[in-house]
Amino acid sequence: MTTAAGALSLGGILLFVGLAAIALLAQSRGGNAGPLFDAYLWRVTRFTLLQASLSTLISILFAIPVARALARQASFPGRIWVLRLMALPLGLPALVAALGLIEVWGRQGLLNTALAAAGLAQPISVYGLFGILTAHVFFNMPLAARLMLAGIERIPAEYWRTSANLGMGPLATFRFIEWPTIRGLLPGIAGLIFMLCATSFTLVLTLGGGPAASTIEVAIYQALRFDFDPPRAIALSGLQVALTGALLILLKFVAPPPEEGETTGRAIRRFDGASGLSRLFDRIWLALAIAFVGVPLAAIAYSGAKADLLRLVREPAFHHALAMSTMIALLSATVSVVMTALMIRAERLALAPRRPRTAARLFAGAIDASTSFILLVPPVVLGAGWFLLLRPLGDVARFAPAVVIAINALMALPFVYRVLAPAMATHAVRTERLAASLGIGGFHRLRWIDWPALRRPLLMAFSFAMALSLGDLGAVALFGSEEMVTLPFLLYSRMASYRTADAAGLALMLGLVCLILTVLGTAGEEKPSEGRSA
């Protein structure tokens, strides 16, 4: 039953993406896409790979010490709010985050104002490669840190007791206990971040500063939006999938899967972060992370607080946009989490036999690949394809909510998979044989075994998916109408009409909604932290 549901979910994903691509190709009616590999495209491809590689490397190098600091210092005041701060950028619309970064790094931003006051003549330019890297690290470093932290927190308590009994120092603890876990997570995390950076659109368009800093995603948008050249757009999408897919395949062979150890379920208590030097380094890294992520968010809050918030809250347009955004986010997050959980379970069942059949291995590989490659399909391609498919049926606005929900659910699937897959794998290793030997299954296993252990990762995945849907503009921009208005679409409309004060106020309220989601997603994390106190 679970395998059939997982296969149905996989088939639904392939069908949804395939029909959109077929609709775009059919619309071209044999049109000529022109030369694909021209000088402009070579330059765009090189820049795409460069900025995505640098963004991934910087994000991971920054995230490792931050995740270790959060894992070692498990009971300092305000730790839960640091975790929520690390989750907040994921749910922010890219345009809102770009405005916050410009407030800090822009020509008239906080840093340049301070440099000018110090008499330095060369200001920092937020546009170009530097601005793109800064924005990508702002989004992806917290995501990487939280995923690494979740992996470190799954290390059995017995490992920490043994390391303390052996007198292992911080370096030895990192090398023999933490690094094997982080190394196993790196291929998935690096691949996810690379895909996010390679397919980045709004940030590149806002902070790129011109054609010299364009990506393949921008070229796809131009092929559809300005030239309406579907064959070229499909060819560019194929190029993007091929380049990133080659890297993902390479990453599969770089590191082994995460190591899972047996445990008696004791509360985790770490001793390696108790020394004065360890606390000092941890506080430095946490302070840098908080400043890097928190200052742009504070700038957004400061600009938004100057708007007439009471008037905005009373507007019927805001009420409608909030209700529409909430409805789409709830449904898309539910679909994404349920589909992902079913596919993860089906993948594990397919590989359960000691010698799985070739068909089972191919099925499991297809599930794993779909959760990664779906992020490479540009939302504008999906939206344009389904717009063409639904146009003969009448008013496309009638189908807009369903299409947007489906697109948002698919776009959130890679994030949900990265959160749930390691947690479900660890849970299966520790409980599957015992549950089978006791004959516990069905609803009783779900209630007494699965739900208590998987509640936190499920809640985190659900909040991630909701935040992503709330911040989406790409899918809504294509189907937006008077009846189909979300908070990001309303924000974009106010910016387009130069109502910057209203846009700042809406950005602040959207950020508060995302903050509420991060609070819900991190609910229950404070109690385990107390149990791990050194």
Side-chain angles (χ1 to χ4, degrees):
M1 184 67 177
T2 303
T3 303
L8 185 63
S9 299
L10 177 62
I13 293 173
L14 298 178
L15 184 64
F16 187 84
V17 176
L19 288 177
I22 292 172
L24 281 174
L25 290 175
Q27 180 68 19
S28 65
R29 298 185 183 278
N32 184 17
L36 177 60
F37 293 102
D38 51 23
Y40 169 73
L41 186 57
W42 280 117
R43 185 173 69 251
V44 166
T45 302
R46 287 195 302 269
F47 183 81
T48 300
L49 296 177
L50 173 65
Q51 62 87 14
S53 300
L54 290 176
S55 299
T56 303
L57 180 62
I58 297 171
S59 297
I60 288 177
L61 291 178
F62 195 174
I64 289 176
V66 173
R68 291 191 68 224
L70 286 170
R72 294 201 301 182
Q73 309 303 328
S75 61
F76 63 87
R79 180 181 185 272
I80 187 66
W81 289 103
V82 176
L83 292 174
R84 290 164 180 168
L85 178 66
M86 293 292 105
L88 189 55
L90 183 64
L92 284 179
L95 189 59
V96 174
L99 293 177
L101 292 171
I102 291 173
E103 290 281 346
V104 177
W105 299 89
R107 184 171 295 274
Q108 304 298 326
L110 297 177
L111 287 179
N112 279 322
T113 301
L115 291 175
L120 299 178
Q122 297 295 330
I124 298 174
S125 176
V126 75
Y127 298 102
L129 180 60
F130 174 77
I132 293 173
L133 294 179
T134 302
H136 284 164
V137 175
F138 171 82
F139 275 103
N140 297 315
M141 181 278 292
L143 172 64
R146 283 189 62 85
L147 293 176
M148 291 179 191
L149 176 63
I152 294 173
E153 289 181 336
R154 288 193 297 271
I155 297 175
E158 290 78 6
Y159 285 29
W160 305 115
R161 296 177 65 88
T162 302
S163 68
N165 291 334
L166 294 176
M168 295 171 60
L171 291 179
T173 301
F174 173 74
R175 178 183 176 186
F176 294 108
I177 298 180
E178 292 176 314
W179 175 244
T181 297
I182 294 174
R183 182 183 59 189
L185 296 172
L186 279 182
I189 295 175
L192 177 61
I193 293 176
F194 187 90
M195 285 189 295
L196 289 171
C197 298
T199 59
S200 179
F201 172 70
T202 305
L203 292 175
V204 176
L205 206 62
T206 306
L207 301 174
S214 294
T215 60
I216 297 177
E217 190 85 4
V218 175
I220 294 171
Y221 173 76
Q222 291 172 343
L224 282 175
R225 179 66 178 84
F226 298 108
D227 304 328
F228 196 71
D229 195 345
R232 183 174 175 85
I234 294 295
L236 290 170
S237 299
L239 174 63
Q240 184 169 268
V241 170
L243 290 174
T244 312
L247 177 71
L248 293 179
I249 293 173
L250 178 63
L251 288 173
K252 287 287 185 180
F253 298 96
V254 171
E259 298 180 2
E260 308 294 350
E262 299 292 337
T263 179
T264 58
R266 293 181 179 180
I268 294 175
R269 188 181 181 191
R270 295 189 59 166
F271 303 89
D272 55 316
S275 67
L277 191 61
S278 297
R279 290 180 182 272
L280 175 63
F281 279 111
D282 290 343
R283 288 171 181 173
I284 290 175
W285 281 111
L286 289 176
L288 289 174
I290 292 170
F292 184 76
V293 177
V295 173
L297 297 177
I300 295 172
Y302 177 75
S303 299
K306 294 188 294 184
D308 191 351
L309 296 178
L310 290 178
R311 176 181 58 81
L312 288 174
V313 170
R314 294 188 184 122
E315 288 185 2
F318 173 78
H319 298 160
H320 177 70
L322 179 61
M324 181 64 67
S325 293
T326 304
M327 183 269 293
I328 291 175
L330 282 171
L331 292 177
S332 64
T334 301
V335 171
S336 185
V337 171
V338 171
M339 286 178 55
T340 304
L342 289 174
M343 289 194 295
I344 293 173
R345 181 62 179 166
E347 179 184 7
R348 183 164 186 85
L349 289 176
L351 299 177
R354 183 169 298 179
R355 293 183 178 180
R357 297 180 179 179
T358 302
R361 290 198 301 268
L362 291 175
F363 173 64
I367 289 178
D368 184 68
S370 68
T371 58
S372 297
F373 285 111
I374 190 61
L375 196 62
L376 298 178
V377 182
V380 65
V381 171
L382 292 177
W386 277 95
F387 181 87
L388 295 174
L389 282 172
L390 297 173
R391 190 168 56 177
L393 301 180
D395 186 10
V396 179
R398 291 184 302 158
F399 309 98
V403 175
V404 172
I405 288 170
I407 293 177
N408 286 349
L410 291 183
M411 293 301 106
L413 195 144
F415 299 91
V416 176
Y417 184 84
R418 292 298 180 274
V419 173
L420 291 184
M424 292 181 67
T426 301
H427 176 65
V429 167
R430 295 175 178 175
T431 63
E432 203 160 75
R433 291 184 179 180
L434 180 59
S437 65
L438 296 175
I440 303 176
F443 176 77
H444 293 291
R445 170 171 177 163
L446 177 65
R447 179 182 179 184
W448 299 110
I449 299 178
D450 295 337
W451 174 247
L454 297 176
R455 180 177 63 242
R456 283 177 56 194
L458 283 170
L459 191 59
M460 181 188 298
F462 188 83
S463 66
F464 271 14
M466 273 200 70
L468 284 170
S469 180
L470 279 173
D472 171 70
L473 179 61
V476 177
L478 196 62
F479 291 93
S481 62
E482 292 184 0
E483 294 77 20
M484 181 69 181
V485 177
T486 62
L487 286 176
F489 190 79
L490 183 62
L491 169 61
Y492 178 78
S493 301
R494 297 294 170 90
M495 289 188 65
S497 59
Y498 299 101
R499 299 170 65 179
T500 55
D502 285 0
L506 290 170
L508 173 59
M509 287 186 281
L510 186 56
L512 291 176
V513 173
C514 294
L515 177 61
I516 294 173
L517 283 176
T518 59
V519 170
L520 295 176
T522 53
E525 292 193 359
E526 189 68 22
K527 290 182 180 180
S529 297
E530 293 170 358
R532 292 190 302 267
S533 178

